[in-house]
Amino acid sequence: MDAYAALTAEIRRVLRRREEDFVVDAEVAEDVHVPEQRADLTATLTATGAGDDPEVLTRARHLLVVLGYRSMLEVSD
């Protein structure tokens, strides 16, 4: 829970950098199984540069380790 909370806190920090018009409400978009919500959230995260933010990446990697997805972190040649 702590790793997930840390990641979502960093994502919210990144989202706050954008103007309100462009930000998907993260509370509404929590059900990422709904294709429209997942697409909106993905587009917003891409537009904000969340995937390039060092803190977001650190928290995301930590969450993957905690969840047992360490192999996803290995770099392939």
Side-chain angles (χ1 to χ4, degrees):
M1 291 292 284
D2 291 341
Y4 178 78
L7 175 59
T8 57
E10 286 302 321
I11 290 172
R12 283 185 171 82
R13 177 187 58 80
V14 170
L15 290 176
R16 283 193 296 270
R17 293 189 300 208
R18 295 286 292 179
E19 294 180 29
E20 289 295 321
D21 294 345
F22 298 106
V23 176
V24 171
D25 184 349
E27 300 300 326
V28 173
E30 283 190 8
D31 187 359
V32 294
H33 298 292
V34 176
E36 295 81 19
Q37 288 182 357
R38 184 175 49 238
D40 289 346
L41 185 57
T42 299
T44 300
L45 291 172
T46 300
T48 60
D52 298 321
D53 185 275
E55 288 300 318
V56 170
L57 293 174
T58 297
R59 303 295 184 189
R61 287 182 182 115
H62 178 68
L63 180 60
L64 288 172
V65 169
V66 168
L67 294 174
Y69 292 101
R70 186 178 307 270
S71 64
M72 294 182 74
L73 300 174
E74 296 173 2
V75 178
S76 59
D77 294 325

